[in-house]
Amino acid sequence: MSDNFSNDENLQARQRLKSFEDSVFLHTPILLRVATRMCKKSGEADDVVQETLLRAWKYWDSFEQGTNCRAWLFRIMVNVVQRRRETIAATAEHVSVEEPTISNVLKFEPKMEFDESGAIAAIEKLPSEYKDVIVLVLVEEFSYKEVSAMLDIPMGTVMSRLHRARLMIKKMLKPLWGEQAASI
Amino acid sequence: MQKLSCHKVNDLLSAYLENELDTATTIVIATHLESCKSCSQELESISAVTQLIKESFAKRKDESIQARAKTINDLVRAEITSGTVSTKVLIDVKVGSKSAEKIERPSRLHRSFFFKAVLAASLVAVFSFVSIFALKYYGSYTGPLLAGAARNHRLCSLIEETGVGWYTGEELRLFAEKLDFIPPELSQFGLKLDGAHPCKVFKAPFLHLMYMKGSEPISVYYGSNVAVERLRKLEDNFEPGKIYSFESGDVKVSAFITSKDRIWIVAGKISSNEVGRITASIKSDVEVDKKQIGFN
């Protein structure tokens, strides 16, 4: 059976796998960290990252060596997350078609045990497109350009979503903080 | 110098804070802020919210990330080397392009008989190649063992709810202590050990541990060399070091035999990926990190 294949082909396959592992696996922790913040269920983030890496392998020959591998992986991961969200939305009994506004994200209960300020709980309550931008820009400190590429949206949209997300969070935190929030 | 309204400045404050504006706009806004109290207050307010978000996330513990990332990498490597993941050639790979992972290269050969013949020959060749190059971690599984584990999981989890025949709570601790058995630590998957009992899978003796992931029971079976010997009489395609997977309806099962002839099986109504990760984590604990788990 092995006679069908030359040593060259074997070597080529191994080299391809090695190049993939060397370039991709070092990004798994950051993919996982962001996925954890983007997904609602705890086990879902691991599934998302695993699926992302397998998709990356599937399309590895198309990746242009020397370009930004991390951004490429995030682009794939965002697609995976969005597809999952679409599946969940399609199978949900009730799907809201209401546009996200400040008023419809105001009600929330912060998880005080690990989130004294309520900031994380507030972010969790944001519509997903706003939450993704907040996590990528403020928490993971990606540039607007990188986020624009990852989410496949114009830079201006990154800027406006971030601004609106900040305003929503500010509105949500104000009543919780009471007078202490005077500064914000 | 260009002048901006307060409304426009407000829209740009986020970008100003992150140094994402071009130099000219940055200067215009900085100049505006010097003379406008309300916009300055708005900037302070946005800055305070940003700081709060960053601090809140910094406090969040991500200790399990490295371990989880390692497990995911191991599983991806295993799936790749098993040959279950194919590859595709794309036209456009630019980051940010909608086609980044969607468009396949079109081909006129696609419909031709010649192409189909070549494709068939290639598939045979690739299959042969996979057989020799891959299967480093995963093995094909056809035997009855994992089906038995799936069936036991269904039955035992029902009985475990009643507590009959199961060691739980303080009894569980004493039971493990008496046997000198150390259960695997699986809290990184949200699993908490709930109970244990001696169990038989196809007449082979196992220690059956029941973990809970929220309200979902997850079974972890541990068998000594006695169980492995008996199982080898049933099926001889179980090779040490490989992870074998199986699905029985909604119950997903994975198993491996260690180099010292111990067997671990994980079963539960969770995704195959998750069962695989839990199994890979136990395997890594036993064989890479040499943690003292099971009977020592």
Side-chain angles (χ1 to χ4, degrees), chain B residues 68-87:
Chain B
R68 284 160 59 201
K70 184 180 175 302
T71 305
I72 289 170
N73 286 345
D74 288 346
L75 280 171
V76 169
R77 184 184 296 111
E79 281 205 41
I80 289 170
T81 53
S82 74
T84 54
V85 188
S86 61
T87 57

Side-chain angles (χ1 to χ4, degrees), chain A residues 55-96:
Chain A
R55 291 191 75 80
W57 167 254
K58 199 170 175 181
Y59 300 108
W60 182 239
D61 286 340
S62 310
F63 174 69
E64 206 176 310
Q65 297 295 332
T67 58
N68 190 339
C69 183
R70 190 176 70 158
W72 182 70
L73 290 169
F74 268 101
R75 175 83 183 87
I76 296 174
M77 190 171 87
V78 167
N79 274 344
V80 170
V81 171
Q82 282 173 350
R83 257 183 234 127
R84 282 177 171 248
R85 283 174 183 161
E86 282 164 15
T87 310
I88 291 167
T91 53
E93 284 181 14
H94 171 72
V95 180
S96 170

Side-chain angles (χ1 to χ4, degrees), chain A residues 5 16 21 28 33 37 46-47 50 55 58-59 62 79 117 138 144 152 162-163 166 170 173 184, chain B residues 10 14 18 20 45 48 50 54 56 68 73 77 86-88 90 93 96 98 101 125 129 277:
Chain A
F5 295 93
R16 184 173 181 272
E21 288 187 3
T28 308
R33 212 166 57 232
R37 284 156 186 169
D46 298 55
D47 282 352
Q50 195 171 331
R55 291 191 75 80
K58 199 170 175 181
Y59 300 108
S62 310
N79 274 344
S117 67
L138 296 192
Y144 284 16
D152 196 20
L162 186 64
H163 186 63
R166 274 176 162 135
K170 202 173 95 173
L173 294 181
I184 64 167
Chain B
N10 265 302
S14 286
E18 267 99 42
E20 289 278 357
S45 141
T50 304
K54 288 184 174 179
S56 299
R68 284 160 59 201
N73 286 345
R77 184 184 296 111
S86 61
T87 57
K88 288 186 178 182
L90 308 176
V93 293
K98 281 185 179 174
E101 52 158 332
F129 174 66
R277 279 196 294 271

Side-chain angles (χ1 to χ4, degrees), chain B residues 138-142 146 243-247 253-255 272 275-276:
Chain B
Y138 274 132
S140 59
Y141 178 79
T142 52
L146 301 192
I243 293 178
Y244 292 82
S245 297
F246 179 80
E247 287 187 28
V253 190
S254 282
S272 307
V275 168

Side-chain angles (χ1 to χ4, degrees), chain B residues 254-289:
Chain B
S254 282
F256 70 95
I257 292 178
T258 71
S259 51
K260 290 184 177 174
D261 266 4
R262 308 286 189 267
I263 179 166
W264 291 89
I265 307 173
V266 178
K269 291 180 187 177
I270 48 178
S271 71
S272 307
N273 284 346
E274 204 163 2
V275 168
R277 279 196 294 271
I278 295 167
T279 313
S281 167
I282 296 173
K283 186 171 180 288
S284 175
D285 281 354
V286 175
E287 296 188 333
V288 180
D289 299 332

Side-chain angles (χ1 to χ4, degrees), chain B residues 213-231:
Chain B
K213 184 179 170 65
S215 58
E216 187 61 48
I218 311 292
S219 289
V220 175
Y221 297 90
Y222 171 86
S224 68
N225 54 336
V226 178
V228 174
E229 273 171 33
R230 287 205 187 175
L231 291 167

